[in-house]
């Protein structure tokens, strides 16, 4: 099989890349190892209103679980509340919608198809269809790697991760805030309760191997505290876990290969948010790949430059602040004063 641009991964980053390419009429193939794009969901699903600059969320009502008006930060000593409008998405619908848009515009989507090798000398990827049990090659002029946090290929790997685990449970109070909790039993990380109608995504994320506390232990303590507070019930409707890269920008390009989304290390090192940056970087990677095809000239170094100009400074700042924030959460000395410089909802963070 042959195409101008191959894209590995049909998450928000890969689908945004495919949409950008197809809008410019460039043939592209999008492969994803999942049988159904977007499932299983490994995300707490909060995204700010600014996603609308890239995807008109209000035009896909089924992709919205609920609207959010505030962000709250609970340090254990104080509860801080900020304006913070956004959505708890239904990621399964959102991801499928984006991939569907790409297909409508002309992208070819191959699901249940895992890319297991990049042959950069031959400009091809080896893929295996788990349905047909057939292995074959896809030849490309340009390759976009949008595989999420764990990139199994040699091109730049993420270096540090937050390990996250989350349940979907019943929510006993009406909430229009996403709440982040800092607790000594969640060392080097934090916990969250993100409401979705009568339910909530409740989870914790901890940096490993810095902390050796088992995730399951922290999560059960967190669930107990939330239950004792009467916020959530006892039903566990879903359980998921996943990785959040926190070491910042990661290589980005390698010859005619460009990385985007989590694969490029674009998640926010403090909050773990990565949906918006996946959509933005995927769109940019697609645009630069399209221009490269049209100009018959590799423009991925320009992609790298633009991506760095958008994300690099804020990611470097966040990485530095994370290294101060997480130990503080464990030791808890002067937490209420210091948190203001270290959590991005506070104005002081930007001073
Ligand atoms: C528990 C948790 C909670 C989170 N909560 C939030 C949140 O509330 N808000 C927020 O903004 N961000 C959140 N994030 C981060 C967010 O989920 C990611 O930043 C976002 O999904 C990145 O999109 P992506 O397209 O880069 O990667 P992904 O969404 O991970 O998509 C990658 C795709 O590539 C496919 N793939 C991988 N390898 C291969 C291969 N070899 N061959 C074929 N296909 C492959 C996968 O199947 C997947 O579909 C959270 C993450 C976790 C783990």
């Amino acid at each position: 099989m042959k195409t101008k641009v191959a894209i590995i991964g049909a998450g928000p980053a890969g689908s945004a890349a495919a949409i950008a390419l197809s809008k410019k009429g460039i043939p592209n193939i999008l492969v994803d190892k999942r049988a159904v794009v977007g499932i299983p969901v490994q995300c707490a699903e909060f995204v700010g209103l600014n996603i609308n600059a890239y995807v008109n969320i209000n035009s896909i009502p089924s992709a919205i679980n609920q609207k959010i008006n505030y962000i709250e930060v609970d340090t254990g000593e104080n509860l801080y509340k900020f304006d913070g409008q956004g959505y708890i998405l239904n990621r399964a619908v959102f991801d499928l919608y984006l991939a569907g848009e790409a297909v409508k515009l002309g992208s070819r989507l191959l699901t249940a198809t895992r890319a297991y090798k990049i042959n950069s000398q031959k400009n091809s990827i080896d893929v295996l269809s788990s349905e047909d049990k057939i292995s074959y090659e896809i030849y490309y002029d340009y390759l976009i790697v949008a595989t999420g946090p764990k990139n199994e290929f040699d091109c730049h790997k993420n270096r540090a991760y937050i390990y996250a685990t989350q349940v979907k449970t019943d929510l006993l109070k009406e909430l229009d805030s996403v709440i982040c909790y800092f607790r000594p039993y969640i060392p080097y990380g934090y916990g969250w309760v993100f409401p979705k109608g009568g339910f909530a995504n409740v989870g914790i994320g901890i940096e490993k191997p810095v902390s050796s506390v088992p995730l399951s232990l922290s999560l059960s303590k967190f669930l107990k505290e939330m239950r004792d507070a009467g916020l959530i019930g006892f039903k566990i409707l879903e359980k998921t876990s996943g990785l959040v890269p926190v070491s910042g920008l990661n290589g980005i390009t390698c010859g005619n290969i460009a990385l985007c989304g989590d694969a490029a290390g674009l998640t926010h090192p403090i909050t773990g948010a990565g949906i918006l940056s996946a959509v933005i970087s995927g769109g940019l990677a697609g645009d630069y790949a399209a221009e490269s095809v049209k100009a018959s000239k590799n423009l991925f170094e320009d992609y790298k430059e633009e991506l760095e100009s958008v994300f690099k400074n804020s990611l470097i700042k966040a990485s530095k602040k994370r290294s101060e924030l997480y130990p503080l959460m464990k030791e808890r000395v002067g937490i209420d004063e210091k948190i203001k410089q270290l959590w991005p909802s506070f104005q002081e963070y930007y001073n």
Side-chain angles (χ1 to χ4, degrees):
M1 207 176 276
K2 211 169 168 219
T3 186
K4 288 289 177 197
V5 184
I7 305 158
I8 311 176
S15 291
I19 289 171
L21 282 154
S22 289
K23 274 187 179 164
K24 295 190 170 178
I26 305 298
N28 63 93
I29 296 178
L30 179 58
V31 299
D32 201 293
K33 62 185 177 186
R34 293 176 172 183
V36 180
V37 167
I39 295 176
V41 173
Q42 292 169 298
C43 185
E45 302 172 298
F46 175 63
V47 71
L49 270 192
N50 43 0
I51 187 77
N52 281 300
Y54 304 91
V55 183
N56 182 1
I57 292 292
N58 291 313
S59 71
I60 350 161
S62 57
I64 303 173
N65 268 317
Q66 98 158 66
K67 289 197 172 155
I68 293 296
N69 291 316
Y70 303 100
I71 296 171
E72 295 185 55
V73 177
D74 182 329
T75 64
E77 288 174 21
N78 266 309
L79 181 65
Y80 297 94
K81 191 166 181 172
F82 307 91
D83 286 337
Q85 290 194 322
Y87 311 93
I88 299 296
L89 295 174
N90 180 331
R91 273 290 300 269
V93 174
F94 178 75
D95 285 23
L96 196 59
Y97 167 83
L98 288 183
E101 284 299 291
V103 170
K104 268 195 231 160
L105 289 161
S107 302
R108 179 155 185 205
L109 171 66
L110 303 172
T111 50
T113 303
R114 188 169 82 83
Y116 61 92
K117 193 171 174 206
I118 297 174
N119 310 298
S120 34
Q121 307 291 331
K122 284 166 49 185
N123 285 341
S124 72
I125 49 174
D126 293 341
V127 300
L128 174 68
S129 159
S130 56
E131 276 165 6
D132 311 332
K133 307 276 179 269
I134 296 172
S135 173
Y136 56 98
E137 283 175 310
I138 300 176
Y139 289 86
Y140 57 80
D141 290 351
Y142 295 94
L143 176 66
I144 295 177
V145 174
T147 45
K150 200 103 192 167
N151 176 8
E152 59 201 90
F153 305 111
D154 287 339
C155 52
H156 315 293
K157 297 192 179 191
N158 286 309
R159 297 176 302 280
Y161 293 103
I162 294 283
Y163 286 64
T165 182
Q166 173 183 278
V167 296
K168 178 182 172 186
T169 184
D170 42 341
L171 184 66
L172 304 181
K173 288 180 182 166
E174 249 180 56
L175 270 187
D176 63 348
S177 310
V178 288
I179 316 178
C180 301
Y181 295 85
F182 294 98
R183 293 293 184 267
Y185 59 78
I186 316 175
Y188 301 98
Y190 73 92
W192 61 85
V193 175
F194 287 9
K196 40 199 272 185
F199 303 100
N201 288 330
V202 182
I204 56 143
I206 293 178
E207 186 175 348
K208 298 258 174 203
V210 184
S211 164
S212 55
V213 172
L215 283 184
S216 55
L217 184 65
S218 284
L219 180 64
S220 56
K221 286 185 179 172
F222 186 50
L223 290 172
K224 181 175 182 322
E225 185 185 334
M226 296 300 110
R227 284 172 184 144
D228 289 349
L231 190 58
I232 62 167
F234 284 83
K235 284 184 201 148
I236 301 287
L237 296 124
E238 282 165 22
K239 193 164 184 192
T240 184
S241 47
L243 295 173
V244 178
V246 291
S247 43
L249 275 177
N250 191 27
I252 311 173
T253 58
C254 184
N256 57 348
I257 303 174
L259 280 73
C260 56
D262 277 16
L266 283 170
T267 33
H268 193 279
I270 294 178
T271 64
I275 300 169
L276 180 62
S277 50
V279 170
I280 295 173
S281 60
L284 283 175
D287 280 341
Y288 277 97
E291 293 310 319
S292 299
V293 171
K294 283 185 185 168
S296 301
K297 183 181 172 205
N298 183 351
L299 299 173
F300 278 175
E301 280 310 301
D302 297 349
Y303 163 66
K304 181 176 177 182
E305 208 174 287
E306 181 160 354
L307 204 67
E308 284 181 347
S309 76
V310 178
F311 292 104
K312 193 174 176 180
N313 287 346
S314 64
L315 288 176
I316 289 174
K317 179 173 189 151
S319 289
K320 280 191 190 144
K321 292 204 177 239
R322 181 176 61 88
S323 55
E324 287 178 58
L325 175 73
Y326 284 170
L328 178 71
M329 291 312 162
K330 187 162 187 274
E331 292 150 16
R332 311 189 66 72
V333 184
I335 186 169
D336 259 9
E337 261 324 294
K338 289 185 188 155
I339 184 99
K340 294 178 184 150
Q341 274 97 51
L342 300 177
W343 184 263
S345 302
F346 292 91
Q347 193 50 46
E348 290 90 328
Y349 177 94
Y350 301 93
N351 292 343

